[in-house]
């Protein structure tokens, strides 16, 4: 019954900003590493950013300096603040989390995806 629910996608002009959020819910013992992936039309899903349970972030070069990943452990939520957006950022963004459910082993979970479109 663990699930990740994403929100915050939309249409934005180049240079604009969006903030994505992803909240984990269900029978959870702990939320470990979390991250964001994206998939553009005709391309493979690719990693965007990760953040450890302690808050240490990592980014791919394409978004470094523009995107910020953060988390609120009290809310089991991860965020992706996206600034200076480019058309190349257009994709469906997927949240990912490594979660230990109550009474279960560590398992990976995906959000449902949220569309981000950067266009003038």
């Amino acid at each position: 019954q663990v699930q990740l629910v994403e929100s915050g996608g939309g249409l934005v002009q180049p240079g604009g900003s969006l903030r994505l959020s992803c909240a984990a819910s269900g029978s959870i013992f702990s939320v470990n590493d979390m991250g964001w992936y994206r998939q553009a039309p005709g391309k493979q899903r690719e990693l965007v950013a990760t953040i450890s349970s302690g808050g240490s972030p990592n980014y791919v070069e394409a978004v470094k300096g523009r995107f910020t990943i953060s988390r609120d452990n009290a809310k089991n939520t991860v965020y992706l603040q996206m600034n200076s957006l480019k058309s190349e950022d257009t994709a469906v963004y997927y949240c990912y989390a490594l979660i230990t459910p109550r009474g279960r082993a560590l398992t990976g979970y995906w959000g449902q995806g949220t569309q981000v479109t950067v266009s003038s």
Side-chain angles (χ1 to χ4, degrees), residues 2 25-30 76 99-107 109:
V2 173
S25 62
S27 183
I28 295 170
F29 176 75
S30 65
N76 287 333
I99 296 171
T100 303
R102 287 192 169 89
R104 299 279 179 99
L106 183 70
T107 306
Y109 294 89

Side-chain angles (χ1 to χ4, degrees), residues 6 20 35-41 43-49 60-64 66-67 80 82 85-96 110 113-114 116 118:
E6 302 179 34
L20 308 182
W36 292 92
Y37 291 71
R38 66 187 181 186
Q39 188 166 22
K43 295 184 66 178
Q44 296 277 79
R45 189 174 298 185
E46 65 177 2
L47 179 69
V48 177
V60 296
E61 189 66 28
V63 308
K64 200 168 188 177
R66 300 187 298 119
F67 291 10
L80 187 68
M82 303 185 293
L85 282 161
K86 306 173 181 179
S87 60
E88 306 96 276
D89 297 317
T90 295
V92 177
Y93 283 70
Y94 295 92
C95 174
Y96 179 81
W110 290 98
T114 185
V116 172
V118 184

Side-chain angles (χ1 to χ4, degrees), residues 2 7-8 15 17 19 23 64 69 94 120:
V2 173
S7 63
S17 298
R19 190 174 81 147
K64 200 168 188 177
I69 188 170
Y94 295 92
S120 58

